[in-house]
Amino acid sequence: MTSQSIPPLPPQQTLPTMYDLPSENPEEPGLPDDFHFLQPLLLFLTFLPVNWNPELVYSAADLNLYYDVRHPLRYKRPDWFGVVGVPKLYAGTDLRLSYVTWQEGVNPFVVVELLSPGTEAEDLGETNSQVGQPPTKWEVYEQILRVPYYVVFSRYTNELQGFHLVGGHYEPMPINEERLLMPELGLSLRLWQGSFRNIERWWLRWCTLDGELIPIPEEEVLAARQEVEQAKRRAEQLAERLRQLGVNPDELDSR
C-alpha cells in the first residue's frame, strides 16, 4: 500500500492516468450497431460551437468517461458527448484513450444518448442505482458531472427529448421550431431528414440557433462545385450576350 504524503499530492500524481484505466468492460452486453456509429459521426462532424475557439472544442463517441475521483475505475460510455474549453488532443499532445474528468478539469457540456430497448429506462432516468452499485447514467450526468444539457433520441420513433440542468436537476427542454436551443454554444439540435453516408432517414444534427444546418465536409465540397458551375454559366451567358452585341469576348483585353 502506498503511504499518504503530507501534504497530499494532487490527484494527477497519485491516481491512475487515462492510460492505466481500463478501456473496455468485458461484462457489458452488446456492441454498437451501424446507427450507433453513423449518428455520433454526424454529431461529431457538425459540432462547431460558434462561441468557442475551434481548437478548444472536443467531442467523442463511445469513449469511456471517468467521472468520480473517489472511484477512479467507474465510468460511463456516452453514445456521444461534447466538451468546450479543452484542446482536441489530451494536454495538446496525444489522442485520448478515454476522458478522465479530474485530469481534464472540464466536464462535458452536452451528452447525447441513443435509446435502445435494453438501456431506455436508465437513459430516461427511470431507474435508480442499487446500494453498493455505481450510479446510473442519469445520476452521473445530473448529480455528479452536472452536464448542462442531456439529450436522448430514439431511432425507432424519431422522438427527440432534451433536458437542461436547472437548480441542480434536469428539467425538460422546450422544442422551439423543432429545435433544442443551446445559446451558450450558439447552436441548436434538430431532427433532419436527409442522406448521410448514402443512408436516407431522420438524423439528429447540429445547426445554428436560427436553424441553418452546419455543413459536413461532403456538403461543403458539393456547394463549392455548384458555385464554380454557376460562375461558369454566368460567364458563358455574358460571353453570348457580348457576341450578340457584336463584340468578340476572346479579343477583349483581360487586364
Side-chain angles (χ1 to χ4, degrees):
M1 179 180 296
T2 303
S3 60
Q4 176 67 60
S5 63
I6 301 176
L9 295 173
Q12 291 89 339
Q13 298 182 26
T14 60
L15 291 170
T17 71
M18 63 174 58
Y19 299 99
D20 302 318
L21 298 175
S23 61
E24 295 185 51
N25 181 357
E27 299 179 358
E28 185 172 349
L31 294 172
D33 54 26
D34 284 345
F35 181 75
H36 277 74
F37 169 74
L38 290 173
Q39 176 61 87
L41 177 60
L42 180 56
L43 293 173
F44 173 85
L45 292 173
T46 58
F47 184 61
L48 300 171
V50 300
N51 299 335
W52 288 85
N53 180 344
E55 296 302 319
L56 295 177
V57 174
Y58 174 75
S59 68
D62 198 34
L63 187 73
N64 286 4
L65 173 64
Y66 293 88
Y67 57 86
D68 191 346
V69 68
R70 298 166 301 175
H71 302 280
L73 298 184
R74 290 183 177 179
Y75 66 88
K76 299 300 179 185
R77 189 181 295 169
D79 289 321
W80 180 91
F81 65 93
V83 192
V84 290
V86 295
K88 295 183 182 298
L89 299 177
Y90 177 66
T93 61
D94 196 6
L95 291 169
R96 290 175 174 84
L97 300 177
S98 57
Y99 194 92
V100 183
T101 55
W102 61 85
Q103 294 181 354
E104 302 282 358
V106 181
N107 292 342
F109 195 86
V110 54
V111 168
V112 175
E113 292 288 359
L114 307 174
L115 295 186
S116 299
T119 63
E120 182 173 353
E122 181 179 356
D123 291 341
L124 292 174
E126 297 172 354
T127 60
N128 296 318
S129 60
Q130 303 298 315
V131 177
Q133 297 299 315
T136 65
K137 290 180 182 178
W138 184 284
E139 292 168 338
V140 169
Y141 302 154
E142 179 189 59
Q143 301 169 21
I144 299 177
L145 295 181
R146 302 177 65 82
V147 178
Y149 292 98
Y150 175 48
V151 177
V152 293
F153 173 51
S154 172
R155 61 175 292 194
Y156 305 103
T157 63
N158 295 321
E159 182 180 5
L160 174 63
Q161 299 179 69
F163 303 91
H164 186 204
L165 193 67
V166 179
H169 64 277
Y170 281 137
E171 293 284 349
M173 294 176 64
I175 299 181
N176 297 318
E177 299 180 353
E178 301 182 347
R179 302 192 304 277
L180 297 173
L181 304 181
M182 302 183 194
E184 302 92 333
L185 300 174
L187 295 177
S188 59
L189 266 177
R190 59 167 286 190
L191 291 181
W192 168 71
Q193 187 174 21
S195 178
F196 176 62
R197 293 298 194 267
N198 296 319
I199 304 296
E200 180 78 24
R201 59 161 291 116
W202 284 97
W203 301 96
L204 186 60
R205 181 166 177 170
W206 289 103
C207 57
T208 67
L209 289 175
D210 295 328
E212 181 180 352
L213 293 176
I214 304 296
I216 59 176
E218 296 93 317
E219 293 169 340
E220 293 177 328
V221 171
L222 178 60
R225 289 176 178 172
Q226 290 174 340
E227 290 181 4
V228 170
E229 291 300 322
Q230 291 173 359
K232 288 182 178 179
R233 285 194 294 269
R234 288 194 296 267
E236 292 170 355
Q237 292 170 355
L238 177 58
E240 181 60 27
R241 179 59 178 161
L242 289 173
R243 293 187 184 97
Q244 293 174 358
L245 295 173
V247 178
N248 185 349
D250 297 329
E251 296 178 353
L252 292 176
D253 189 350
S254 60
R255 292 175 298 173

